[in-house]
Amino acid sequence: MPIVKAVIPAAGLGTRFLPATKAMPKEMLPVVDKPAIQYVVEEAVGAGLTDVLMITGRNKNALENHFDRNTELESVLERKGDDRRLREVHQSTHLANMHYVRQRDPMGLGHAVLRANMHVGWEPFAVLLGDDIIDEREDLLRRMIEVHDKQPASIVALQEVDPSQVHLYGIATVEHTEDEGVVRVTDLVEKPSADDAPSNLAVIGRYVLQPEIFDALEKTTPGSGGEIQLTDALKDLATSGAGGGVMGVVFKGLRYDTGDRLDYLKAIVRVASNREDLGPDFRSWLHEFIGSEGRL
Ligand code: UTP
């Protein structure tokens, strides 16, 4: 069955970005001139997923508004004949079939994904974290879908991280396969200490999941941080083999956790530098700025 549904959890509190996220979702923070969430939806659509379910919560109305029409703005731009901006405003409205469900309390990523059960039904689906941007030149999600097409299993994206960072991620125990960059995940642990970590392969924010994940999530009790962890349900699938077990695609490209302040700044600098319209001027300013040791 081809995968057409994408689930985007965006109901977290974004505490690492306070006070900016007190009244505004972190997924709406702009990366140059588009909110982070739009890059994520564009990535899903680029990978062939046309049905997007966003998991939202209180304070998250801006997310729905961004993907809806703004008729007042449209008529002002039309009157001015500003076709370029009108196209940009239309783009987010017509990207995909958008659906929303609320997670009443942010009880963890696993809890958020479980809210998608009614919409997804019993079919495989993709999950893209709403604050995690993968560089648009990468084709990670498409590759994960290909791996799933060849061998039905739940697929996680893995990235090597510095051992000092393993306590921030779900970490995988893996076995290599004949397929370059594809591994079988035999176990997973959420946020281990550097000493207890079985590897430095961290689970990052893209998943292709078999529907068996819903059964596993129903059974999952609160774990690390008192939250229902998606990693714990995936560990269940990896060790029981339910739904074909868990495979991993090792990703070596660029990604940014825009919920982390430093990563967010890096995302803006990279995206701006690579833009055709802003890049040349921005890069030359950046060069001068660094030359002046930040005093410019
Ligand atoms: P994070 O752990 O990065 O989100 O979750 P957070 O809890 O908002 O972050 P901090 O630590 O407080 O800054 C990754 C993704 O999962 C979503 C978030 O919105 C984010 O896109 N999420 C997390 C939910 O949808 N619900 C939750 O209960 C937790």
Side-chain angles (χ1 to χ4, degrees):
M1 184 186 283
I3 299 178
V4 290
K5 290 180 181 164
V7 172
I8 304 186
L13 293 178
T15 54
R16 287 170 294 161
F17 234 115
L18 283 168
T21 48
K22 185 177 170 198
M24 183 184 74
K26 67 172 163 180
E27 295 81 3
M28 284 302 292
L29 288 168
V31 176
V32 186
D33 49 12
K34 273 195 293 193
I37 193 78
Q38 189 173 333
Y39 292 88
V40 178
V41 174
E42 284 172 354
E43 182 192 336
V45 172
L49 309 173
T50 49
D51 178 299
V52 174
L53 175 71
M54 206 170 281
I55 316 293
T56 69
R58 282 185 293 282
N59 265 346
K60 301 278 184 173
N61 292 343
L63 288 168
E64 294 191 31
N65 292 340
H66 184 70
F67 294 100
D68 199 356
R69 289 191 69 182
N70 182 336
T71 44
E72 197 186 337
L73 184 61
E74 285 171 30
S75 37
V76 169
L77 292 171
E78 258 160 27
R79 254 200 326 271
K80 283 188 178 168
D82 193 339
D83 294 341
R84 183 179 67 80
R85 291 202 174 87
L86 192 60
R87 264 198 310 279
E88 278 161 7
V89 166
H90 278 155
Q91 208 199 341
S92 60
T93 315
H94 299 292
L95 261 176
N97 286 321
M98 303 294 297
H99 308 270
Y100 303 89
V101 63
R102 278 194 178 204
Q103 182 187 16
R104 221 167 29 189
D105 292 299
M107 288 163 62
L109 178 57
H111 185 257
V113 171
L114 193 50
R115 303 274 75 69
N117 195 354
M118 282 284 274
H119 181 84
V120 169
W122 198 255
E123 57 182 90
F125 62 105
V127 172
L128 298 87
L129 298 195
D131 58 351
D132 217 338
I133 297 186
I134 304 282
D135 193 284
E136 60 188 4
R137 289 160 294 185
E138 311 287 348
D139 65 346
L140 173 64
L141 191 57
R142 198 180 285 278
R143 172 101 179 95
M144 294 170 75
I145 293 172
E146 272 168 22
V147 171
H148 180 272
D149 288 347
K150 269 213 298 201
Q151 184 178 1
S154 293
I155 319 288
V156 294
L158 298 171
Q159 192 169 41
E160 281 192 43
V161 295
D162 190 82
S164 65
Q165 301 288 300
V166 291
H167 69 282
L168 300 171
Y169 293 92
I171 301 291
T173 307
V174 302
E175 283 169 3
H176 291 274
T177 68
E178 283 170 9
D179 209 349
E180 171 77 23
V182 178
V183 292
R184 174 158 286 283
V185 176
T186 56
D187 206 355
L188 283 159
V189 53
E190 180 68 14
K191 301 191 171 75
S193 67
D195 290 340
D196 295 335
S199 74
N200 66 338
L201 285 172
V203 178
I204 58 167
R206 297 294 179 269
Y207 309 78
V208 172
L209 298 174
Q210 291 282 79
E212 282 79 359
I213 194 73
F214 294 125
D215 292 341
L217 283 167
E218 291 281 4
K219 292 188 295 193
T220 304
T221 49
S224 170
E227 297 189 333
I228 297 183
Q229 298 290 352
L230 182 60
T231 307
D232 291 340
L234 283 164
K235 175 192 169 78
D236 186 349
L237 300 188
T239 51
S240 69
V246 179
M247 306 290 291
V249 171
V250 180
F251 177 62
K252 294 190 193 295
L254 295 170
R255 73 170 260 275
Y256 312 99
D257 173 3
T258 61
D260 173 80
R261 290 169 304 172
L262 186 59
D263 243 25
Y264 174 69
L265 293 174
K266 290 181 190 171
I268 292 179
V269 171
R270 268 231 223 247
V271 172
S273 300
N274 288 326
R275 282 266 297 250
E276 267 175 31
D277 53 349
L278 295 168
D281 286 347
F282 182 61
R283 281 197 305 271
S284 74
W285 175 81
L286 197 59
H287 198 69
E288 263 180 70
F289 180 71
I290 289 165
S292 76
E293 294 181 0
R295 282 192 295 271
L296 200 66

